[in-house]
Amino acid sequence: MRHFTSVKDIGDLNQAVEVALDVKKNPFAYSHLGKNKTMVLIFFNSSLRTRLSTQKAAMNMGMNTMVLNVNEDGWQLESELGVVMDGDKPEHLREAIPVIGSYCDIIGVRAFAKFQNKEEDYSEKILNQFIEYAGVPVISMEGATRHPLQSYADLVTIEELKTKPRPKVVLTWAPHPKALPQAVANSFVEWMRETDFELVVTHPDGYELAPEFMGDVYVEYNQKKAFEGADFIYAKNWASYTNYGKILSNDLNWTVNTEKMALTNKAKFMHCLPVRRNVVVSDEVIESPESVVVQQAYNREVTAQAVIKMILESL
Ligand code: CP
């Protein structure tokens, strides 16, 4: 594997799960692969889990790590070509990216959707410039449209916890006061479609995800009906794709609570975190034994390490 930006980069998913479970058991067994190699993590947006888990994963692999929070530590970076740079951005990505690439062996990049222009976001403008100009492998630490490190961790968590070969997995939209990108939801659907699991997506009218991610995945607009018999409930907010970046509903009737979880097959509750309690999910549900959000977050380290291992092995 050279770059990791979507499920398509990782090959056979069963094998990918095996690699992850192996590094989970033996986190320091492959540290020779990263000796004298460096990973730079570039954040255009905030992070807790991705920053710590990916840096830890790289350190487990024996790598040196450097982190740059662009908006706090670095120069503001211009991404448009042909602009007169007389504003607040003193450096262009076209110089910054190859310079960063010259200092390291792998780059991790987080660059969210900006919600100013759907086509620009969905073309992954910043992530693709890193791939084009870095000269080294690039790992998406959440782009504008996908969060593949999260989805890989989600898959491993489901594989660890499932009690039947074909669990019913429900992705449910939940309310949120801010407009959030579709990346986690898009990516989760994209990864689940590559499995044999039964996937159902539930959301209010107007929150349909992009057709290229959804394909023929079943949408059940009645959330309670969707929850019936579910083995996994994955809650996530996202802003509207059709009415791009807009909040169409803040209906707290979509909050995941014990009443709804009682409709499931003792489903595990999943969320990528950070999560707003009593908006997305009730205190009772997230604190219940069925909540697996911490295991899911720990698997971020595991799967980031699996990705770094696969890339180092191919250098
Ligand atoms: N789930 C996730 O990506 O968390 P952070 O935004 O804290 O990195």
Side-chain angles (χ1 to χ4, degrees), residues 7 25 47 52 68 79 114 123 148 151 159 184 227-228 230 249 259 271 288 294-295 309:
V7 70
K25 263 196 245 133
S47 170
L52 296 178
L68 181 67
S79 59
K114 292 180 180 159
S123 72
S151 308
E159 287 290 350
V184 170
F227 273 43
E228 286 171 8
S249 165
E259 182 207 339
H271 189 283
S288 72
V294 174
Q295 179 174 342
K309 175 175 180 279

Side-chain angles (χ1 to χ4, degrees), residues 45-173:
N45 311 95
S46 304
S47 170
L48 185 154
R49 276 144 294 276
T50 305
R51 175 180 171 149
L52 296 178
S53 62
T54 312
Q55 189 170 12
K56 177 68 166 31
M59 293 191 297
N60 289 353
M61 289 303 298
M63 301 186 81
N64 300 308
T65 58
M66 296 188 285
V67 180
L68 181 67
N69 300 305
V70 172
N71 295 327
E72 289 152 34
D73 309 334
W75 303 115
Q76 295 290 306
L77 298 174
E78 179 60 63
S79 59
E80 299 294 328
L81 283 174
V83 291
V84 178
M85 289 173 53
D86 59 357
D88 60 349
K89 293 177 179 160
E91 178 153 21
H92 202 286
L93 277 175
R94 287 289 295 268
E95 285 76 53
I97 294 172
V99 167
I100 295 164
S102 73
Y103 299 143
C104 65
D105 302 279
I106 301 177
I107 301 180
V109 184
R110 167 166 281 199
F112 288 176
K114 292 180 180 159
F115 283 151
Q116 289 160 1
N117 180 313
K118 184 198 277 192
E119 284 68 39
E120 198 170 298
D121 285 343
Y122 271 67
S123 72
E124 291 286 4
K125 194 171 173 182
I126 292 183
L127 188 60
N128 282 333
Q129 288 195 60
F130 272 88
I131 288 172
E132 195 168 351
Y133 302 118
V136 296
V138 172
I139 295 175
S140 167
M141 299 193 300
E142 189 171 341
T145 63
R146 292 178 174 89
H147 194 354
L149 286 175
Q150 180 67 53
S151 308
Y152 188 6
D154 299 338
L155 172 66
V156 168
T157 308
I158 293 173
E159 287 290 350
E160 288 178 321
L161 294 168
K162 73 181 188 189
T163 55
K164 57 173 85 149
R166 192 166 185 265
K168 178 176 176 183
V169 178
V170 176
L171 171 65
T172 180
W173 180 92

Side-chain angles (χ1 to χ4, degrees), residues 131-315:
I131 288 172
E132 195 168 351
Y133 302 118
V136 296
V138 172
I139 295 175
S140 167
M141 299 193 300
E142 189 171 341
T145 63
R146 292 178 174 89
H147 194 354
L149 286 175
Q150 180 67 53
S151 308
Y152 188 6
D154 299 338
L155 172 66
V156 168
T157 308
I158 293 173
E159 287 290 350
E160 288 178 321
L161 294 168
K162 73 181 188 189
T163 55
K164 57 173 85 149
R166 192 166 185 265
K168 178 176 176 183
V169 178
V170 176
L171 171 65
T172 180
W173 180 92
H176 199 281
K178 300 225 178 273
L180 299 186
Q182 293 104 25
V184 170
N186 285 343
S187 209
F188 185 71
V189 169
E190 187 172 57
W191 282 66
M192 291 300 109
R193 284 178 64 195
E194 296 291 321
T195 71
D196 294 329
F197 307 158
E198 178 190 353
L199 175 64
V200 174
V201 177
T202 183
H203 56 70
D205 196 25
Y207 280 97
E208 290 76 14
L209 293 167
E212 65 263 36
F213 287 98
M214 282 298 285
D216 59 0
V217 171
Y218 181 61
V219 178
E220 171 55 69
Y221 288 90
N222 181 328
Q223 190 193 34
K224 287 186 178 169
K225 206 167 159 204
F227 273 43
E228 286 171 8
D231 300 295
F232 292 89
I233 296 294
Y234 195 117
K236 183 72 185 86
N237 171 270
W238 60 89
S240 175
Y241 172 75
T242 38
N243 201 343
Y244 193 61
K246 296 286 181 291
I247 296 175
L248 309 179
S249 165
N250 257 330
D251 186 355
L252 292 179
N253 286 318
W254 280 79
T255 302
V256 178
N257 59 23
T258 46
E259 182 207 339
K260 290 176 198 167
M261 291 300 283
L263 300 169
T264 70
N265 180 29
K266 296 194 177 88
K268 301 296 183 196
F269 174 79
M270 301 179 73
H271 189 283
C272 61
L273 306 182
V275 70
R276 291 187 183 239
R277 283 171 171 233
N278 303 310
V279 180
V280 171
V281 57
S282 68
D283 285 332
E284 292 77 16
V285 171
I286 199 157
E287 290 176 12
S288 72
E290 282 70 41
S291 172
V292 297
V293 295
V294 174
Q295 179 174 342
Q296 201 182 339
Y298 175 62
N299 281 334
R300 291 293 311 277
E301 176 185 326
V302 171
T303 51
Q305 187 172 343
V307 168
I308 294 167
K309 175 175 180 279
M310 289 181 231
I311 290 176
L312 288 172
E313 283 170 338
S314 71
L315 286 180

